[in-house]
Amino acid sequence: MSTSAGSIEADRYGYYGRSPVKPPDWSDKIPTYIFTGGFAGASSLLAFPARLRGNDALARPLLYGAAAGAMVSTYCLIMDLGRPERFMNMLRVFKPTSPMNMGVYIFSVYSSAAMLAAAADATGVARPVGRACEGVAALVGPAMATYTGVLIADTAVPTWNEGRVTIPSLFAATSAAAAGAWGMLFAPPQRADAARRFAVFGAVGALIASKRLHAEVGPILKESFKAKEAVKLGRSATVLAFSGTACALLAKKSRFFGVVAGALLFTGALAEKFSVYRAGYISAKDPKYAVTLQRQRIDARGGEPTRLREPSHDGRPAGSVSA
Amino acid sequence: MSTFIDLTGAAAQSATYGADEQQRMGFFTDTTLCIGCKACEVACKEWNELPEDGYEFTGWSYDNTRELNGNTWRHVTFVEQFSGRSAGTGRWLMESDVCKHCTHAGCLDVCPTGAIMRSEFGTVVIQQDVCNGCGYCIVGCPFGVIGLKEAEGTTGKCTLCYDRLKAGEEPACAKACPTDSIQFGAVDELRERAEKRLEAVQGRFDGAQLYGTDTGDGVGGTGSMFLLLDKPEVYGLPPDPIVPTKDLPQMWRAAGVGAALLVAACVAAAVRA
Ligand code: SF4
Ligand code: SF4
């Protein structure tokens, strides 16, 4: 063994296997937040037309699901801070360059509305205010389901940053799947038509979006989805989405299939979001990804670095599946 | 696109400080002069009252520090490039790494509390009394510089010795460096000095190259510049860093598309077949 520890040979991808970028220092509360917040947002959205049609059997479980999601989100968001008592510091500035700052405004408006709406419905107090809150929650819901995609994309984490065009849509789709699944779990089948369709649209949309994401990030970063910590989640998500969709198609009259489909699709949406989270973590932790990506970028430009003012790629990778 | 970047970038500096604005200050770290003594690491820890990061042996040459993080704001890297055991067959690379004090700083852009600010010296500083430890800056930095300060629950990185600068002193690391490998000064001046130094050493050192001096790169150039003797990645530096907010408008548009698809799916689902 003539090669010493520090030689370039031993460190093909940089410095002793250490990556030039840092992975997030977040606990699983953050991907949990991304899931529960998206689920809640899409639930509020779906509850709105149900309410308009007087389908309370569907609207009410969705309202309560949304409030529960908002509560879990609030807990995760605040408790994952290094200084939870300084949560409010995020509301001392209005900062468009920070998706987390923008997100806290979206989140604050949304979760107050969603919790008030559920409280008003449960207690029967201040009904008109409750209905107004349902409207606000439905309006802000789609932002809740998608802004977290911007939040993770606006980082130096290679797989998230390169997947920036598709990740928000993938998050929207998994949110729809989870919200629809919730409706199937808690509403009787004859009142859950809209939930069933929403869940299927979401599950199929997530399958398409995840395929598109793998194409968008390119062949090197695609490997981050296949790494040990992510691959099982990704595969489970696919299997759950397919089987859940199949059960949903049988659930028109059957409560049993409705509950099974709901459980499968809800879990599938959760697995899909965690797989994106894990893949990103791996892409930042293993130097192979950042170094190879950036080195190829420079080499393709004849040694020139990426310029700040030049337009970015339009997010349509060669040979990608169309969404 | 540029509006997003300029909101908190260096361009905002004069607007904020007016008459109090100072010359932009930074570092030029000339690795051809580095002897790997780690005086900078120690001086930094001492002056900034930073705790140790554990007494462990890494086996990474003489580097037991590993990385820049919340409590390590200077980090000397060691690379042994030898093909055999006999003398004269290779070389040592040493480099004292530090926060780059980017012209367009990812950490500053994404910080949701405004804890990270651009000082009157054009440097990037985390205000410890504002930071809530959300950890967003850790992933917002394209150079992997920032880390959590476990004891405080906040994040930390080099402040270019903001307190010393205000008192007219140079940063502790530059003061302690016995070979002047770490040079402190006005960024424009240091950039010129770096270019002259590169000319002078070209031919004497294989692979000599500047890092951070190109003001047109993905972060608009850096306040901490380096003369390296190999590719940046050999030292654990990113070869083509980009401030993530570069593509932020595109990301929000993508979120808009996602939200529209979600609403469309909801309408389609709610319409009675
Ligand atoms: S190197 Fe990282 S921590 Fe330092 S200013 Fe640039 S983005 Fe911020
Ligand atoms: S950890 Fe502190 S400095 Fe870093 S982004 Fe969050 S609030 Fe800002």
Side-chain angles (χ1 to χ4, degrees):
Chain A
M1 178 70 204
S2 62
T3 310
S4 56
S7 76
I8 304 179
E9 255 55 58
D11 300 317
R12 221 177 115 216
Y13 299 113
Y15 190 73
Y16 301 101
R18 197 206 69 202
S19 178
V21 293
K22 279 210 170 72
D25 207 328
W26 293 321
S27 75
D28 277 351
K29 289 196 192 73
I30 295 302
T32 304
Y33 166 81
I34 293 174
F35 174 75
T36 53
F39 155 68
S43 296
S44 296
L45 178 67
L46 183 61
F48 194 71
R51 198 61 128 175
L52 283 183
R53 302 194 147 188
N55 183 0
D56 282 357
L58 176 61
R60 298 187 72 192
L62 287 170
L63 280 188
Y64 298 140
M71 274 189 266
V72 174
S73 296
T74 308
Y75 171 80
C76 289
L77 187 62
I78 295 181
M79 292 321 286
D80 206 57
L81 296 174
R83 300 291 291 261
E85 78 281 8
R86 291 187 182 171
F87 171 76
M88 285 300 194
N89 281 9
M90 290 196 272
L91 298 166
R92 68 187 268 284
V93 286
F94 185 82
K95 208 174 153 189
T97 60
S98 170
M100 192 180 284
N101 179 268
M102 294 289 97
V104 164
Y105 287 102
I106 294 171
F107 169 79
S108 302
V109 172
Y110 171 77
S111 51
S112 322
M115 288 189 224
L116 280 175
D121 187 84
T123 59
V125 178
R127 276 262 156 79
V129 178
R131 289 298 171 98
C133 286
E134 286 176 31
V136 172
L139 204 64
V140 188
M144 267 303 279
T146 49
Y147 95 80
T148 46
V150 180
L151 190 147
I152 64 166
D154 189 20
T155 63
V157 173
T159 294
W160 295 344
N161 188 252
E162 291 295 315
R164 59 187 172 265
V165 172
T166 307
I167 287 175
S169 290
L170 174 58
F171 282 9
T174 49
S175 300
W182 187 268
M184 292 167 76
L185 280 168
F186 296 104
Q190 58 280 15
R191 315 304 301 274
D193 272 351
R196 205 161 43 239
R197 283 194 287 260
F198 200 45
V200 170
F201 291 157
V204 174
L207 288 167
I208 296 168
S210 115
K211 205 157 190 317
R212 192 177 190 283
L213 175 61
H214 292 193
E216 185 188 3
V217 299
I220 295 153
L221 292 176
K222 196 179 160 188
E223 294 296 310
S224 64
F225 290 95
K226 296 194 186 128
K228 186 164 95 275
E229 301 88 334
V231 71
K232 276 194 192 133
L233 286 163
R235 274 199 208 125
S236 315
T238 309
V239 170
L240 288 164
F242 272 116
S243 54
T245 304
C247 288
L249 298 176
L250 299 171
K252 208 169 163 59
K253 297 226 173 58
S254 150
R255 180 99 204 209
F256 171 77
F257 276 113
V259 169
V260 172
L264 292 172
L265 292 175
F266 194 83
T267 325
L270 181 70
E272 181 63 48
K273 273 193 168 131
F274 267 76
S275 91
V276 173
Y277 189 85
R278 287 278 182 278
Y281 184 94
I282 291 154
S283 75
K285 181 85 182 166
D286 185 336
K288 167 171 92 179
Y289 297 105
V291 171
T292 315
L293 181 77
Q294 295 188 23
R295 186 41 68 192
Q296 284 188 348
R297 208 155 64 198
I298 290 196
D299 289 347
R301 302 168 57 93
E304 284 286 301
T306 302
R307 298 285 166 201
L308 201 54
R309 305 269 167 213
E310 76 198 358
S312 39
H313 76 80
D314 67 354
R316 207 150 309 151
S320 74
V321 288
S322 55
Chain B
M1 178 177 305
S2 54
T3 38
F4 269 89
I5 289 168
D6 284 338
L7 262 176
T8 51
Q13 194 191 342
S14 47
T16 313
Y17 290 101
D20 289 334
E21 191 196 339
Q22 307 287 316
Q23 248 185 324
R24 183 178 178 193
M25 304 307 276
F27 288 124
F28 169 44
T29 304
D30 180 349
T31 69
T32 64
L33 301 175
C34 182
I35 54 170
C37 70
K38 302 187 195 176
C40 50
E41 279 190 24
V42 178
C44 175
K45 289 251 180 199
E46 196 275 334
W47 180 262
N48 294 299
E49 301 180 314
L50 298 170
E52 46 94 357
D53 333 70
Y55 297 98
E56 282 144 43
F57 288 106
T58 57
W60 302 5
S61 184
Y62 284 104
D63 180 1
N64 292 311
T65 310
R66 288 195 185 93
E67 59 173 14
L68 293 171
N69 59 39
N71 292 319
T72 300
W73 301 351
R74 270 278 176 191
H75 164 223
V76 181
T77 58
F78 288 79
V79 179
E80 297 175 44
Q81 297 185 327
F82 292 88
S83 50
R85 281 180 189 272
S86 48
T89 54
R91 60 179 184 170
W92 286 80
L93 303 181
M94 278 92 73
E95 173 246 3
S96 179
D97 197 12
V98 69
C99 165
K100 313 302 175 290
H101 294 281
C102 309
T103 304
H104 298 291
C107 65
L108 193 161
D109 283 351
V110 304
C111 172
T113 61
I116 306 191
M117 60 145 193
R118 175 90 46 194
S119 82
E120 64 270 41
F121 301 101
T123 56
V124 178
V125 178
I126 304 177
Q127 302 170 90
Q128 290 298 318
D129 54 340
V130 180
C131 169
N132 69 8
C134 71
Y136 202 16
C137 53
I138 296 175
V139 279
C141 169
F143 296 92
V145 163
I146 304 183
L148 206 63
K149 293 165 77 70
E150 285 81 8
E152 288 89 345
T154 58
T155 54
K157 70 166 193 75
C158 162
T159 69
L160 213 101
C161 281
Y162 189 33
D163 51 347
R164 293 173 64 98
L165 257 55
K166 279 195 282 196
E169 293 285 334
E170 66 178 316
C173 56
K175 183 97 183 168
C177 179
T179 64
D180 265 349
S181 170
I182 299 176
Q183 299 168 30
F184 165 74
V187 169
D188 289 340
E189 237 166 76
L190 290 177
R191 196 179 293 116
E192 271 173 40
R193 199 187 296 174
E195 267 144 26
K196 285 213 188 88
R197 178 66 184 161
L198 176 66
E199 261 171 51
V201 302
Q202 218 127 40
R204 280 167 56 202
F205 292 96
D206 277 348
Q209 55 189 281
L210 295 178
Y211 186 72
T213 50
D214 183 348
T215 53
D217 71 10
V219 297
T222 58
S224 306
M225 294 159 280
F226 300 81
L227 172 58
L228 305 176
L229 296 180
D230 206 326
K231 286 190 264 182
E233 55 265 43
V234 171
Y235 297 90
L237 295 165
D240 187 29
I242 300 177
V243 58
T245 27
K246 173 184 187 292
D247 297 313
L248 188 54
Q250 183 194 32
M251 296 171 200
W252 281 119
R253 279 198 299 277
V257 170
L261 287 172
L262 188 62
V263 173
C266 181
V267 171
V271 168
R272 221 167 298 210

